[in-house]
Amino acid sequence: MTDAHALLARVVRALARPRRATYRLQLGPDLRFEEVAALAPYLADLGVSEAYLSPCFKSGPESSHGYDVTDHNAFNPEVGTEAAFDRTAAALAERGLGVLLDIVPNHMGIAGDSNPWWLDVLENGPSSSYASFFDIDWAPVKAELTGKVLLPILPDQYGRVLEAQGLRLEFAEGAFFVRYGEARLPIAPKTYALVLRHGLEALGERLGPEDPHFMELQSILTALDHLPPRTETDPGRRAERFREKEIVKRRLAALVKESEEVRAFVEENVRAFNGTPGEPRSFDRLDGLLSAQAYRLADWRVAGDEINYRRFFDVNHLAAIRMELPEVFEVTHRLVLRLVGEGKVTGLRVDHPDGLYAPGEYFRRLQEGAVRETARRLQPDLDEAGLEALLARYREAAAADPAAPSARPLWILAEKILLGDERLPEWWPVAGTTGYDFLASANGLFVDRDAARPMTSTYARFVGARTAMADLVYATKRLIMLTSMASEINMLGLDLDRISETNRLSRDFTLSSLVRVLREVIACFPVYRTYVGDERLEVSPRDRAYIEMAVAEARRRIPTVNVSIFDFVRDTLLLRHLPELGAEEGGARRHFVMRFQQTTGPVTAKGVEDTALYRYNRLVSLNEVGGDPARFGEPVSAFHERSAERLARWPETLLATSTHDTKRGEDVRARIHVLSEIPRDWRAQVGRWGRLNRRKKVVVGGQLAPDRNEEYLLYQTLVGTWPLGSPGPAELADYRARIRAYMEKATKEAKVHTSWINPSEEYDRAVQAFVVAVLEDTPGNRFLAELRAFQARIVRYGLLYALGQTVLKIASPGIPDLYQGTELWDFSLVDPDNRRPVDYATRRALLEKLRERIAASGGDLVRLARELAETLEDGRVKLYVVHRGLAARRELPGLFATGAYLPMEAQGERAEHVIAFARQAGDRVAVAVVPRLATRLGKGPEALPLGEEAWGESWLPLPTGITARRFDHCFTGERLEPLEREGRPVLGGELDEGVELFERDLPRLVEAATEDRLGR
């Protein structure tokens, strides 16, 4: 055990590394491994320590994101080979950069014919070696689907597609397929006989019964008849089926090649099965063949009601896999864990862990895999006994202290969305989240909380309705459960109905009443999911509170339902009375709870992220993943509390402000925030815009399109995204195209007048025409002139807040995350807008010039800082803030990694306009100071940069215990000495003596010199 202890310590040290910041890169044809390797010098010069790569394993055809993995153990050829990845990892490592890799354990892509596992399931049904890998219900409610997979991929009803020859039988290399579009779907070998027996008697008459080719064909048919059925699950019979069917294919391929007569016979039968347009009965043969398969082709719209495999949310071409099975985990993580063990991957970002059956167990297995593979590299002669001893030691350490480095040696970040005051489960062996919790907290700091009432009133007046966000979320989650995810809810209801039948106290509950209650409880669920039964049977106080809260709210909303049904559902979800039940019944209840928890997350994501956030448009900068638009801003004190808690529990969590999934980029949100500070002006302006543009609408279905709510969203979007400077014709044309694409997505996601499932082409055209009309650059378009003038009033404040949130991200506890391209101004919207190629040549050139000027300055950066502040719109100032801030993290790694977090409270006339905190480690101190609600400080955009007169008599007391006598200004290089006020050291005084802390309007990151330097 001593050897295991020592080896575990070596493993922990090998997996640990100093981390300053991550830089997210969206891989694809425009950014392959070679291009990432070429970016290594730039990323290192920028100051990041980790290249954060989007999924790079083999994925579906023309995938733009990589989340539709089709082979976990092969790299996506569109981004490069394994050799190219190795070269990239080496190039990054040479510059001191690690690789944070995004992995997708919840689901796989099954579009077309690119996933060999899925094709095997389609060919062999339950007999497939991979049948258990996918989360398929082989015995669904609909009897016609027993032993089959519903395949909702057709653009229209099955019969119509069939008779239009959209499905065609093909033969190649001894196998039959059905072609749909670019994909070839397998035909079960046993059903080849349906094709080969058609016209067989006539062939025999032509060739004669003794013809060797005819005899071989008959022998093949006999072999097909003796194949084990697709329902066979015995391992031996499965192996026999696989072996014999492949032999049949080889024999048939050889026969067709040898015999011209048999080849012509097969080709004629294929033509006969493919039917004749205009003759419906001619398609009966192909229909019969398809009906005999292990899959049922269907219109894609039926998925919501009848699909019998679990999906990623409601995306039909992303099928969930059963990661809870050890064999599935092992085979899907073979490559990535090898890369971790080899030191080529230094961290993992885990996509959508809430979709997993048991997320906590999954993270433990991931850590164990990293420990195992790293140990094999460090000690190649390690035998199985030594390996087991090592893993046993790891489990002991993890159980003793889940927060210890030995419990979570691999840097794992969970894409976990936390709602409200929800906290990440502390027993997960991860480093933290992907940063949406920080985004929500920091985002709200720049919203004027006092404007909640007037902004709500303006919104309600403009759209003609007043709806509470909570009621809207309840309604949209119910909508999702009644439409695109109805099948999942019905399956849950059936499972619960079976459980209720096992007890005389619950057997009278009807299926319809159970489904209704389940639907209501999920609609009222306050978080994405709970984790009851995940590696432990006891229910945590956290999960118990959420379940009881959801049941109580559901009971309040539908008081007509028998209270005892709610009690039954609550007790089942809380695993009450489990010791009183037998093993089989107890197992069934635990399984139901786990499946219930896998369902609440997708319903919340679709109901909130993809519906409600496109409907509730009071201030859309708050409509972000992990945020709550009903909370109008964030108190500074709440931000401090969350930061201190993050340092104590999750010091290596990510801090994000933009991601590939955010609804709008960080700089867009920062500009829209400003509207909260000018509610009266906004009310007058948006009302005038509505009147100016009314004639640009058209009537669709008896109402004007777009509706007022969509119009309100559009105006905020234009304010937030209008290009800096004066866009020329080409830039304006590109901008119009982007806004058109965004509004199409926004209106379809909102699901009010149009949707992806049931699009209204007429309504869509009307919205598109409206966007074009309001953005028409003509002298008569008064709206566009007013938009330009209005956004010019607020744009610089938005840039100021964008810089502020950047400083907060860099200085706060955690690891700052930069999304590709956002080191300059970036006004992207939701994907795919935020996945456009990034101009790295420009960024490299700008950074190089800044570094040259910094090097030549001799530490006096005042002139450079003033120049950047006076030319805010060119974006160099943001690049400078990022670069200098990350340089501070590089110079003082311990301070920012583990240094104490000390909130600071400004005093004086403008105290509410300051966000400030200190980080302290020994005699090292860093102070971050950021302005907020700045429109009250200046007198219009011409007042920016702010002068000291804007601050009046304001000062910032240093926290107790900080005695630094001098600070070095990170952005100007100035030496700043604290003043004394009321017996305490302060920064600022009256802000007209010495420090001039806010003079150039740059957010501040000030680092203290050491006592040694002070002495010199």
Side-chain angles (χ1 to χ4, degrees):
M1 192 61 75
T2 303
D3 290 341
H5 180 84
L7 181 55
L8 180 59
R10 289 177 62 199
V11 168
V12 172
R13 288 194 298 271
L15 290 170
R17 56 179 276 113
R19 300 181 177 94
R20 290 186 305 277
T22 62
Y23 190 99
R24 169 75 178 202
L25 293 162
Q26 291 296 121
L27 301 175
D30 296 315
L31 189 67
R32 296 164 53 85
F33 289 145
E34 288 83 356
E35 286 78 21
V36 173
L39 284 175
Y42 170 71
L43 297 178
D45 290 344
L46 185 63
V48 303
S49 61
E50 321 291 318
Y52 172 8
L53 304 183
S54 66
C56 59
F57 297 140
K58 193 171 183 180
S59 54
E62 299 180 356
S63 173
S64 63
H65 45 73
Y67 289 96
D68 51 346
V69 177
T70 59
D71 187 345
H72 289 86
N73 294 306
F75 283 96
N76 185 354
E78 292 192 6
V79 302
T81 63
E82 182 169 353
F85 177 84
D86 289 347
R87 290 193 296 271
T88 298
L92 292 167
E94 187 177 346
R95 296 283 180 164
L97 295 162
V99 173
L100 173 62
L101 188 60
D102 196 344
I103 63 172
V104 190
N106 175 69
H107 55 269
M108 294 183 74
I110 58 171
D113 54 9
S114 59
N115 189 321
W117 292 358
W118 185 250
L119 293 181
D120 194 275
V121 170
L122 297 185
E123 181 178 7
N124 300 294
S127 184
S128 168
S129 300
Y130 303 102
S132 63
F133 279 38
F134 294 95
D135 208 342
I136 300 169
D137 183 0
W138 294 105
V141 180
K142 190 166 185 173
E144 292 82 357
L145 287 175
T146 300
K148 291 176 177 280
V149 176
L150 182 73
L151 212 56
I153 62 175
L154 304 180
D156 202 346
Q157 296 176 27
Y158 162 75
R160 293 178 180 174
V161 175
L162 178 72
E163 293 179 16
Q165 290 194 314
L167 302 167
R168 296 186 61 82
L169 185 65
E170 292 184 356
F171 177 79
E173 302 299 326
F176 288 98
F177 304 89
V178 61
R179 177 171 292 280
Y180 169 65
E182 298 298 318
R184 292 197 315 178
L185 305 178
I187 295 295
K190 197 173 183 67
T191 65
Y192 289 6
L194 295 175
V195 181
L196 296 176
R197 284 200 166 96
H198 177 69
L200 182 65
E201 184 177 344
L203 177 65
E205 291 175 356
R206 289 198 304 273
L207 297 179
E210 302 301 321
D211 180 85
H213 295 136
F214 183 68
M215 293 175 67
E216 171 65 2
L217 180 58
Q218 288 181 310
S219 177
I220 288 173
L221 285 167
T222 301
L224 290 173
D225 290 340
H226 285 86
L227 283 177
R230 68 167 182 253
T231 54
E232 184 61 70
T233 57
D234 176 76
R237 294 280 281 166
R238 272 183 171 179
E240 177 189 347
R241 174 187 170 87
F242 177 81
R243 180 183 67 248
E244 296 303 321
K245 74 180 179 67
E246 294 306 310
I247 291 174
V248 165
K249 290 177 185 179
R250 289 197 296 270
R251 290 175 62 188
L252 186 55
L255 176 61
V256 168
K257 186 176 181 179
E258 293 173 4
S259 172
E260 180 68 25
E261 293 84 357
V262 174
R263 183 182 63 79
F265 166 75
V266 172
E267 290 175 350
E268 177 55 35
N269 283 1
V270 168
R271 282 192 293 271
F273 269 68
N274 282 329
T276 303
E279 298 179 14
R281 304 301 303 178
S282 68
F283 293 93
D284 289 353
R285 297 186 188 92
L286 184 54
D287 178 40
L289 179 66
L290 292 174
S291 297
Q293 302 310 306
Y295 52 87
R296 177 171 176 166
L297 291 163
D299 186 334
W300 68 277
R301 297 171 186 83
V302 309
D305 292 322
E306 295 187 350
I307 202 163
N308 63 328
Y309 62 88
R310 189 168 62 86
R311 302 163 288 172
F312 172 72
F313 297 170
D314 60 353
V315 183
N316 296 341
H317 65 267
L318 296 177
I321 53 177
R322 299 182 63 194
M323 195 54 70
E324 67 271 18
L325 300 179
E327 61 269 26
V328 177
F329 178 90
E330 289 300 324
V331 72
T332 54
H333 289 75
R334 192 174 297 141
L335 174 58
V336 70
L337 287 176
R338 175 168 64 80
L339 296 174
V340 169
E342 293 171 349
K344 297 169 185 173
V345 168
T346 56
L348 297 175
R349 182 259 196 198
V350 176
D351 182 66
H352 190 48
D354 274 350
L356 300 175
Y357 190 80
E361 179 184 54
Y362 170 79
F363 289 128
R364 177 183 58 78
R365 285 180 177 165
L366 205 54
Q367 290 286 8
E368 287 185 7
V371 168
R372 180 184 67 237
E373 296 305 315
T374 305
R376 284 174 172 165
R377 172 170 62 90
L378 296 176
Q379 191 171 321
D381 61 345
L382 186 66
D383 59 18
E384 288 302 314
L387 195 57
E388 284 304 315
L390 172 67
L391 294 178
R393 177 58 190 153
Y394 164 74
R395 295 182 189 115
E396 290 174 7
D401 184 2
S406 56
R408 50 188 193 196
L410 177 62
W411 192 42
I412 299 176
L413 299 158
E415 192 226 4
K416 166 63 185 171
I417 311 301
L418 302 168
L419 294 184
D421 296 324
E422 182 185 9
R423 297 295 184 263
L424 191 66
E426 293 196 358
W427 46 278
W428 280 6
V430 300
T433 73
T434 53
Y436 288 113
D437 42 331
F438 174 81
L439 187 157
S441 183
N443 195 47
L445 292 174
F446 301 95
V447 173
D448 189 348
R449 301 178 72 232
D450 293 337
R453 181 171 294 178
M455 289 294 284
T456 302
S457 175
T458 297
Y459 177 46
R461 180 178 179 181
F462 190 91
V463 304
R466 185 185 294 266
T467 303
M469 182 64 182
D471 292 333
L472 181 58
V473 167
Y474 168 79
T476 54
K477 289 171 72 172
R478 290 189 83 255
L479 172 67
I480 295 300
M481 288 186 284
L482 289 168
T483 53
S484 61
M485 295 190 67
S487 177
E488 285 83 349
I489 303 305
N490 291 335
M491 290 166 65
L492 273 180
L494 284 167
D495 287 345
L496 188 59
D497 186 55
R498 295 188 190 103
I499 291 172
S500 73
E501 290 289 344
T502 63
N503 191 299
R504 61 177 177 267
L505 298 178
S506 57
R507 71 180 190 184
D508 287 347
F509 299 153
T510 65
L511 174 61
S512 62
S513 64
L514 290 170
V515 169
R516 184 183 181 190
V517 167
L518 280 176
R519 192 181 294 124
E520 294 297 321
V521 170
I522 293 174
C524 296
F525 227 68
V527 292
Y528 275 70
R529 67 165 284 175
T530 49
Y531 303 95
V532 175
D534 185 357
E535 288 203 293
R536 55 185 188 176
L537 288 179
E538 70 273 13
V539 180
S540 68
R542 164 197 186 279
D543 288 348
R544 180 178 295 107
Y546 288 137
I547 290 169
E548 291 182 343
M549 188 186 309
V551 173
E553 177 62 14
R555 181 185 297 173
R556 184 189 70 79
R557 286 186 178 271
I558 50 169
T560 57
V561 174
N562 189 335
V563 172
S564 59
I565 301 179
F566 284 105
D567 293 341
F568 170 68
V569 170
R570 179 199 61 208
D571 292 348
T572 301
L573 294 178
L574 291 173
L575 294 180
R576 287 177 177 165
H577 315 301
L578 209 59
E580 306 166 17
L581 305 175
E584 183 176 349
E585 188 177 348
R589 290 204 176 197
R590 181 178 180 274
H591 180 66
F592 166 78
V593 172
M594 304 295 275
R595 297 309 295 264
F596 173 88
Q597 293 174 146
Q598 282 182 292
T599 305
T600 58
V603 170
T604 301
K606 294 301 298 181
V608 179
E609 292 177 36
D610 294 345
T611 308
L613 292 187
Y614 288 97
R615 289 190 182 185
Y616 188 80
N617 297 321
R618 176 176 59 171
L619 186 67
V620 295
S621 55
L622 295 173
N623 292 21
E624 199 47 84
V625 180
D628 181 3
R631 294 172 64 170
F632 203 85
E634 177 94 343
V636 175
S637 59
F639 175 81
H640 289 320
E641 290 172 8
R642 291 177 184 273
S643 297
E645 181 181 329
R646 191 184 317 114
L647 175 64
R649 184 65 184 90
W650 311 104
E652 285 197 316
T653 191
L654 279 195
L655 310 176
T657 45
S658 288
T659 77
H660 59 288
D661 280 335
T662 41
K663 300 302 180 185
R664 46 193 59 80
E666 59 196 53
D667 299 335
V668 177
R669 294 195 310 271
R671 200 189 297 180
I672 296 174
H673 289 333
V674 183
L675 300 180
S676 71
E677 299 179 50
I678 53 171
R680 291 183 180 178
D681 292 353
W682 171 243
R683 178 171 186 151
Q685 189 67 72
V686 76
R688 177 171 170 77
W689 288 348
R691 293 189 295 274
L692 284 175
N693 291 326
R694 181 177 176 83
R695 293 183 179 179
K696 298 171 184 174
K697 297 185 177 186
V698 297
V699 176
V700 177
Q703 60 184 355
L704 291 174
D707 70 20
R708 297 281 280 180
N709 193 37
E710 295 159 346
E711 186 181 2
Y712 201 77
L713 167 65
L714 174 62
Y715 293 149
Q716 291 181 74
T717 301
L718 297 179
V719 167
T721 60
W722 183 258
L724 294 174
S726 301
E731 186 178 2
L732 190 56
D734 177 69
Y735 179 70
R736 276 195 296 266
R738 290 176 51 220
I739 299 301
R740 288 176 61 191
Y742 171 74
M743 287 304 295
E744 179 185 19
K745 178 164 185 169
T747 53
K748 280 185 163 66
E749 296 286 12
K751 306 172 186 67
V752 176
H753 306 292
T754 183
S755 69
W756 299 113
I757 295 178
N758 291 304
S760 169
E761 294 184 5
E762 186 180 4
Y763 196 89
D764 294 340
R765 285 195 300 270
V767 173
Q768 296 291 294
F770 183 77
V771 172
V772 172
V774 300
L775 292 177
E776 186 177 18
D777 193 11
T778 59
N781 188 358
R782 294 162 60 192
F783 164 75
L784 191 59
E786 291 196 11
L787 171 66
R788 283 175 163 140
F790 181 78
Q791 69 85 30
R793 292 174 50 200
I794 67 172
V795 63
R796 290 170 69 82
Y797 291 105
L799 300 182
L800 172 64
Y801 299 159
L803 292 178
Q805 66 187 357
T806 300
V807 168
L808 293 178
K809 179 168 67 174
I810 291 174
S812 292
I815 308 299
D817 174 40
L818 303 174
Y819 184 66
Q820 61 175 26
T822 59
E823 62 270 35
L824 292 182
W825 302 131
D826 180 78
F827 300 102
S828 296
L829 292 162
V830 72
D831 71 286
D833 193 56
N834 61 9
R835 302 186 189 190
R836 291 170 293 155
V838 176
D839 180 1
Y840 283 111
T842 295
R843 286 163 174 77
R844 274 193 291 251
L846 290 176
L847 180 60
E848 184 58 31
K849 290 179 181 177
L850 285 176
R851 294 179 71 235
E852 289 174 357
R853 294 186 62 179
I854 292 169
S857 69
D860 183 1
L861 299 170
V862 172
R863 180 179 300 176
L864 175 59
R866 180 179 294 115
E867 175 189 322
L868 296 175
E870 291 172 350
T871 58
L872 284 174
E873 294 188 2
D874 65 18
R876 292 181 302 150
V877 65
K878 190 177 183 186
L879 180 64
Y880 181 74
V881 167
V882 169
H883 173 60
R884 293 292 294 165
L886 295 183
R889 289 186 72 104
R890 176 189 281 128
E891 294 167 13
L892 301 169
L895 174 71
F896 288 101
T898 59
Y901 182 90
L902 305 172
M904 298 172 66
E905 185 175 350
Q907 304 292 319
E909 296 179 39
R910 302 291 187 254
E912 67 171 335
H913 298 278
V914 177
I915 311 160
F917 57 86
R919 304 293 306 278
Q920 181 178 28
D923 59 3
R924 295 292 185 107
V925 179
V927 176
V929 188
V930 169
R932 64 192 290 263
L933 310 182
T935 60
R936 302 179 196 167
L937 300 176
K939 297 180 180 178
E942 67 279 359
L944 289 173
L946 297 173
E948 61 267 24
E949 70 279 356
W951 294 94
E953 186 178 351
S954 303
W955 64 95
L956 191 62
L958 290 172
T960 302
I962 293 182
T963 59
R965 299 194 297 268
R966 188 185 72 219
F967 289 87
D968 293 331
H969 197 296
C970 184
F971 300 131
T972 68
E974 293 170 293
R975 295 288 174 87
L976 310 176
E977 296 181 2
L979 307 176
E980 186 171 302
R981 189 181 182 100
E982 298 176 359
R984 294 185 61 184
V986 302
L987 295 176
E990 295 183 4
L991 292 180
D992 58 2
E993 299 178 16
V995 179
E996 296 181 346
L997 188 60
F998 297 95
E999 181 194 10
R1000 276 167 295 281
D1001 185 40
L1002 281 172
R1004 305 303 184 180
L1005 182 60
V1006 186
E1007 57 189 89
T1010 63
E1011 291 299 326
D1012 288 342
R1013 286 176 62 192
L1014 285 172
R1016 291 196 295 271

